[in-house]
């Protein structure tokens, strides 16, 4: 190594470090000002219907993406680069600045609030009941099966089994089915008087047959003093507070429009879900 080259090593190292810093900066979650200037934002989904997913044509759909797209229009952001990730990698991806925002209707939970920022809730989703057309036994709650001789169908391995047991429903009134696809026949033929599942699942099943319907006056079960309900919001890295705040401002406005109601209804959210979406704040949910 000659003396001239050796004397330039510190300069070379400094230049290399500068390039690395620039590259790292390019990968960071953009600020709101940068997003507006570039006209583009990176938003991740987890390919979960109806929360957020990408179709065969590469188009994003779901309660999260549809609302996010409307909010971006209101913020003057013209282009969204949709990114698909597994649900478990959404938060690590935000922390690694692989995208600027997540639109997966991720449930706002205290342990997650310690790692990322959440918007105010966009959605709320709870439990539901699929009943025969006309709901002849007037079944409107999980608790009803502990107070009558009605039988409820539950998918094998589903959380609803634990809920029913917690509410005092005996096994003799529980009918186990293999999967959601069997629910319509179980209810329509009288094998069970209702099928217990999430409200979104119930809505999707009801749309496939005119022999069944969701229980219209359904009330959320209270398990060990806590309603069995989740609140979903948009998610951001901890250094994107300005973006989160701007989204919150526009979300609050958009949720008061028929367009928001139409989006939620399209993806199976009920009127009760819409009302419940504003029942709690992110601050309350993060406290637990």
């Amino acid at each position: 190594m000659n003396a001239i080259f050796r004397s330039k090593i510190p300069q070379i190292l400094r230049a290399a470090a500068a390039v690395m810093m620039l590259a790292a900066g390019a990968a960071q979650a953009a600020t709101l000002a940068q997003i507006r200037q570039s006209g583009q934002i990176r938003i991740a989904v987890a390919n979960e219907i109806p929360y957020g997913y990408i179709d065969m044509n590469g188009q994003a759909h779901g309660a999260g993406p549809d609302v996010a797209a409307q909010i971006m229009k209101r913020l003057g952001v013209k282009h969204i680069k949709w990114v698909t990730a597994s649900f478990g990698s959404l938060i690590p991806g935000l922390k690694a600045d692989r995208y600027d925002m997540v639109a997966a209707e991720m449930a706002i939970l205290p342990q997650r609030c310690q790692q990322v920022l959440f918007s105010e809730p966009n959605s709320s989703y709870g439990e539901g009941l699929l009943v025969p057309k006309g709901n002849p036994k007037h079944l409107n709650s999980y608790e009803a099966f502990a107070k009558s001789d009605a039988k409820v169908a539950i998918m094998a391995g589903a959380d609803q089994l634990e809920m029913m047991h917690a509410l005092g429903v005996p096994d003799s009134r529980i009918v186990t089915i293999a999967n959601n696809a069997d629910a319509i026949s179980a209810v329509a033929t009288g094998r069970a008087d209702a099928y217990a599942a999430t409200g979104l699942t119930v809505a999707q099943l009801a749309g496939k047959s005119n022999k069944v319907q969701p229980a219209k006056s359904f009330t959320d079960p209270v398990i060990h003093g806590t309603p069995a309900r989740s609140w979903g919001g948009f998610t951001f890295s901890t250094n994107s507070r300005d973006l989160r705040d701007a989204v919150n401002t526009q979300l609050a406005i958009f949720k008061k429009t028929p367009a928001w109601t139409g989006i939620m209804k399209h993806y199976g959210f009920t009127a009760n879900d819409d009302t419940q979406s504003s029942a709690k704040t992110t601050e309350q949910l993060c406290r637990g």
Side-chain angles (χ1 to χ4, degrees):
M1 182 182 297
N2 61 51
I4 295 176
F5 182 75
R6 187 162 49 247
S7 68
K8 291 185 177 181
I9 288 178
Q11 294 177 322
I12 294 172
L13 291 175
R14 284 195 296 270
V19 170
M20 292 175 67
M21 289 177 65
L22 286 171
Q28 290 178 359
T31 65
L32 176 60
Q34 290 171 330
I35 289 170
R36 280 175 162 161
Q37 184 176 9
S38 68
Q40 175 175 294
I41 186 171
R42 304 165 298 166
I43 304 181
V45 299
N47 262 347
E48 289 186 298
I49 300 173
Y51 306 106
Y53 60 99
I54 307 296
D55 67 15
M56 297 297 291
N57 298 318
Q59 299 298 311
H61 301 282
D66 283 16
V67 173
Q70 293 298 318
I71 290 174
M72 289 305 124
K73 286 182 182 179
R74 290 165 176 259
L75 290 176
V77 180
K78 297 181 180 179
H79 180 68
I80 299 174
K81 180 180 180 182
W82 296 104
V83 181
T84 305
S86 65
F87 189 85
S89 67
L90 289 175
I91 287 179
L94 275 175
K95 296 171 74 173
D97 297 322
R98 289 195 286 270
Y99 26 83
D100 308 300
M101 174 177 167
V102 170
E105 295 308 294
M106 184 182 291
I108 303 169
L109 301 173
Q111 60 269 34
R112 291 173 178 164
C113 295
Q114 295 176 6
Q115 303 180 68
V116 293
L117 298 177
F118 279 97
S119 70
E120 290 302 313
N122 177 52
S123 66
S124 181
Y125 42 95
E127 298 300 301
L129 272 178
L130 187 73
V131 296
K133 195 71 174 179
N135 196 3
K137 291 196 174 183
H138 306 289
L139 299 167
N140 299 308
S141 70
Y142 287 2
E143 288 85 348
F145 298 95
K147 303 173 183 178
S148 69
D149 60 356
K151 292 187 176 182
V152 59
I154 297 174
M155 184 172 66
D159 294 342
Q160 286 75 19
L161 178 60
E162 292 182 12
M163 294 182 191
M164 292 295 175
H165 284 164
L167 293 170
V169 179
D171 287 334
S172 60
R173 294 180 199 155
I174 296 174
V175 176
T176 302
I177 61 175
N179 50 59
N180 283 327
D182 296 335
I184 294 175
S185 62
V187 173
T189 61
R191 181 183 171 201
D193 298 299
Y195 174 59
T198 66
L200 294 174
T201 296
V202 167
Q204 291 179 350
L205 289 169
K208 297 179 180 180
S209 172
N210 60 8
K211 296 181 179 180
V212 294
Q213 67 176 60
K216 293 181 179 179
S217 300
F218 181 81
T219 55
D220 293 318
V222 177
I223 309 298
H224 303 306
T226 302
R229 175 162 287 273
S230 297
W231 282 262
F234 301 109
T235 323
F236 310 83
S237 67
T238 54
N239 62 359
S240 295
R241 192 172 298 275
D242 61 340
L243 175 60
R244 190 278 308 273
D245 291 347
V247 168
N248 268 343
T249 298
Q250 295 303 323
L251 177 61
I253 297 171
F254 187 58
K255 283 185 70 175
K256 297 177 182 178
T257 68
W260 179 82
T261 304
I263 289 172
M264 306 312 284
K265 183 177 180 180
H266 175 73
Y267 289 109
F269 291 85
T270 66
N272 184 45
D273 291 334
D274 292 353
T275 300
Q276 289 294 330
S277 72
S278 300
K280 290 194 176 184
T281 66
T282 293
E283 182 180 0
Q284 291 171 325
L285 293 166
C286 285
R287 286 201 306 261

